[in-house]
């Protein structure tokens, strides 16, 4: 949601400053509407359960879902990590769960948000890169990419673009090619 806000704001500024500007398929989603709806429901169910268990700890865990594949990314103590994993695995419609945990204190909200915005812009404006459904999570300059792209060549290019952004310490990609 934050990514969409920043992308919309960047687009509005660009249009206001330069007249008219077209962005090639930057916000398309390769999933059909039904799958998008199911994924949103899975994500909401898991996130709500984490919040209900402990809102403070849940704040350190981002939940993402693509075609039933759930990603848990963030910082949490061992007991909350177990709870998050169990909750995600038990949620209806989940095909697989991938956790990506960082040590406590890794995240730097202000700097990470700024870096995420730079990464989103770099992906958005990269030539010949139809980033269809890419989610960027940044924790202490460490980037985690999740989502769906057209093919492996586009995934490789997206990873290279992100690695080229100043301030990026590491990139872990869970991007997958779209399944027809």
């Amino acid at each position: 949601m934050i990514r969409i806000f920043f992308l919309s704001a960047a687009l509005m500024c660009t249009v206001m400053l330069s007249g008219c500007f077209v962005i090639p398929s930057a916000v398309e989603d390769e999933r059909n509407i039904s799958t998008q709806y199911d994924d949103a429901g899975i994500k909401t169910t898991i996130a709500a359960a984490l919040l209900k268990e402990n809102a403070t700890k849940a704040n350190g865990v981002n939940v993402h879902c693509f075609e039933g594949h759930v990603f848990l990314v963030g910082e949490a103590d061992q007991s909350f990590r177990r709870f998050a994993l169990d909750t995600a695995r038990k949620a209806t419609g989940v095909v697989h769960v991938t956790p990506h945990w960082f040590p406590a204190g890794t995240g730097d909200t202000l700097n990470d948000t700024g870096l995420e915005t730079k990464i989103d812009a770099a992906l958005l404006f990269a030539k010949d890169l139809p980033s269809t459904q890419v989610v960027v999570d940044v924790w202490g300059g460490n980037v985690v990419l999740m989502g769906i792209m057209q093919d492996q060549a586009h995934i490789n290019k997206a990873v290279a673009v992100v690695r080229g952004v100043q301030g990026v310490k590491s990139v872990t990609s869970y991007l997958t090619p779209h399944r027809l």
Side-chain angles (χ1 to χ4, degrees):
M1 193 63 155
I2 291 173
R3 179 174 187 228
I4 291 170
F5 170 78
F6 283 114
L7 292 176
S8 298
L11 177 60
M12 285 180 56
C13 289
T14 302
V15 170
M16 289 188 300
L17 293 173
S18 65
C20 183
F21 184 75
V22 177
I23 298 173
S25 66
V27 291
E28 287 180 15
D29 193 324
E30 297 287 347
R31 301 170 296 173
N32 65 42
I33 296 296
S34 176
T35 302
Q36 290 177 50
Y37 180 81
D38 292 345
D39 287 346
I42 292 168
K43 176 181 174 176
T44 301
T45 298
I46 295 167
L50 298 182
L51 284 168
K52 184 177 179 183
E53 178 70 15
N54 186 316
T56 302
K57 290 180 180 182
N59 216 16
V61 179
N62 293 331
V63 180
H64 306 286
C65 185
F66 300 93
E67 297 177 334
H69 189 138
V70 173
F71 297 90
L72 303 171
V73 181
E75 302 174 359
D77 61 35
Q78 288 299 325
S79 66
F80 200 73
R81 288 178 184 187
R82 280 190 299 277
F83 175 78
L85 277 167
D86 290 343
T87 300
R89 288 178 178 141
K90 292 176 185 173
T92 303
V94 172
V95 175
H96 185 73
V97 179
T98 299
H100 192 96
W101 303 117
F102 291 99
T106 300
D108 178 354
T109 304
L110 183 59
N111 289 327
D112 289 345
T113 301
L115 183 55
E116 186 174 320
T117 302
K118 288 182 358 185
I119 292 166
D120 286 340
L123 288 169
L124 180 65
F125 294 110
K127 185 177 179 182
D128 299 323
L129 183 62
S131 55
T132 55
Q133 184 63 9
V134 178
V135 172
V136 178
D137 253 343
V138 181
W139 294 83
N142 301 290
V143 179
V144 180
L145 301 174
M146 296 148 288
I148 302 166
M149 297 194 77
Q150 284 182 346
D151 54 37
Q152 190 61 49
H154 286 104
I155 291 170
N156 295 344
K157 184 170 183 174
V159 170
V161 166
V162 172
R163 283 194 175 121
V165 175
Q166 185 176 10
V168 171
K169 293 179 181 176
S170 68
V171 179
T172 301
S173 174
Y174 295 110
L175 295 170
T176 59
H178 176 62
R179 295 178 280 169
L180 297 175

